[in-house]
Amino acid sequence: MTASTQIFRDSEADRRHRAKWWTSRIAIYGVLILWTIICLFPIYWTITTSFKMAPNVMKGNMVPFVDYTPAWLGWRSLGLSPDTIWNESTVRAEFMKRFMNSAVISVSSSALAVALGSLAAYGLSRFSYRFGWMKNSDISFFFLSQLILPPVVLALPFLVLYKELALLDTRVGLILLYTLSVLPIVIWIMRDQFGSIPTELEEAALVDGLSIWGAFATIILPIALPGMVAAFILSLVLTWNEYFFAALLTSTYANTLPVMVASQTGSQGISWWSMAALSFAAILPLIVIGVVLEKYIIKGMAAGAVK
């Protein structure tokens, strides 16, 4: 027997298992890659369209430097191209105004919703309530059921109410409305988050002399921080992209970016290059926040799944 003779050989079953394993992996990763392309294609289309000229948009050219030569037409229309960024621009000033409106309204409403929603969720996960025939589970479902109501149903009541309260075209009006709109989602997420935390931690804190509020602030909140960050990010995305109420209840001073994006139309039709540049500038902060806080989002979304 020579040294190169193979003593042990894989059985036919082992070879079939290995082939099946590789086939399944290729299929799984193929589907994931395809789904990634589908999800990222709108962002790719938006970015490339912002660098197209009008004929390139109409022809449907897709690949830069192959189908067309990139230009700064869309960004120049916003005063954000390299040759206009240092010059005075009315459009850029309006964009920055809308950007600040969106930032202040979204961050404020999301933070307020997380603060109020966390308190409500903690109470529902730790104490027993009864409101008529409704118990904790019914109250939680009642909050979530508010999302079923179409926004258009609330349009006229809010329009009349805000007119009487002088809240039309104000940041405060949108902050209060957006807080109410995302509060059910925050309560639902944080209820699962607090429910996954053992009650023994609070009981030990109470034995050590802490009050309920002390145990909540020093023990529970640090553990529930990933869930709060996830709820905040989700609320921020929803409020940042909200268009219906922003268009209905504002006109001049409190307009947000989605309203500005939708206004990129004229007598010649839709300025796709301007709309694409404006859209990408609007979603870029959310992309950066999502990348930076990715680990908190994953932890927060998965925290209540295993108990």
Side-chain angles (χ1 to χ4, degrees):
M1 180 182 296
T2 61
S4 61
T5 303
Q6 184 176 358
I7 300 176
F8 301 102
R9 294 181 175 85
D10 293 335
S11 66
E12 185 65 26
D14 290 334
R15 286 194 291 269
R16 286 198 301 268
H17 175 74
R18 186 179 295 109
K20 185 177 180 181
W21 186 87
W22 278 107
T23 303
S24 63
R25 286 298 181 273
I26 293 174
I28 291 173
Y29 284 106
V31 171
L32 291 177
I33 292 173
L34 177 62
W35 183 247
T36 302
I37 293 174
I38 293 175
C39 292
L40 295 180
F41 179 77
I43 298 178
Y44 170 80
W45 185 90
T46 302
I47 296 174
T48 55
T49 301
S50 67
F51 292 97
K52 293 179 183 178
M53 302 291 287
N56 304 133
V57 176
M58 302 307 171
K59 293 178 181 178
N61 296 333
M62 296 299 301
V63 183
F65 301 105
V66 176
D67 294 333
Y68 68 96
T69 301
W72 290 92
L73 179 61
W75 299 97
R76 186 177 294 111
S77 65
L78 300 179
L80 297 175
S81 62
D83 58 331
T84 60
I85 189 66
W86 305 112
N87 301 328
E88 184 177 353
S89 172
T90 304
V91 180
R92 185 174 66 249
E94 185 67 17
F95 167 77
M96 294 305 301
K97 172 186 172 183
R98 305 290 184 90
F99 183 89
M100 288 303 301
N101 284 341
S102 291
V104 171
I105 292 170
S106 299
V107 172
S108 300
S109 58
S110 299
L112 187 58
V114 169
L116 297 176
S118 297
L119 295 176
Y122 181 73
L124 290 172
S125 65
R126 288 297 190 266
F127 307 102
S128 297
Y129 296 97
R130 191 177 187 90
F131 185 74
W133 56 269
M134 299 176 64
K135 298 182 180 179
N136 284 37
S137 59
D138 302 311
I139 296 174
S140 300
F141 180 76
F142 170 77
F143 283 120
L144 191 64
S145 67
Q146 305 307 304
L147 300 176
I148 302 175
L149 197 64
V152 68
V153 176
L154 303 174
L156 184 58
F158 270 107
L159 191 61
V160 175
L161 177 64
Y162 272 36
K163 183 178 181 180
E164 292 296 324
L165 297 177
L167 290 175
L168 288 177
D169 202 18
T170 63
R171 290 179 176 178
V172 175
L174 284 185
I175 289 173
L176 295 176
L177 178 56
Y178 286 178
T179 300
L180 290 176
S181 65
V182 298
L183 192 58
I185 300 177
V186 174
I187 292 176
W188 197 263
I189 293 176
M190 294 309 300
R191 180 174 176 268
D192 287 343
Q193 181 75 202
F194 290 130
S196 65
I197 301 175
T199 57
E200 288 78 8
L201 296 176
E202 293 150 283
E203 294 171 357
L206 295 177
V207 171
D208 290 339
L210 289 177
S211 63
I212 292 293
W213 284 104
F216 175 73
T218 60
I219 305 298
I220 303 302
L221 279 186
I223 300 176
L225 182 61
M228 297 178 69
V229 173
F232 177 81
I233 296 301
L234 181 59
S235 302
L236 186 67
V237 171
L238 293 175
T239 54
W240 184 277
N241 294 325
E242 202 283 328
Y243 167 78
F244 179 76
F245 285 113
L248 177 69
L249 301 177
T250 64
S251 57
T252 305
Y253 301 105
N255 272 348
T256 57
L257 278 178
V259 179
M260 187 177 184
V261 172
S263 66
Q264 300 302 306
T265 57
S267 58
Q268 303 299 322
I270 301 176
S271 301
W272 293 108
W273 42 93
S274 300
M275 182 177 288
L278 186 57
S279 299
F280 181 68
I283 65 176
L284 184 59
L286 298 181
I287 296 176
V288 173
I289 292 174
V291 171
V292 173
L293 301 179
E294 176 187 6
K295 63 178 182 179
Y296 291 101
I297 298 175
I298 296 175
K299 287 182 180 179
M301 290 301 185
V306 179
K307 297 184 180 180

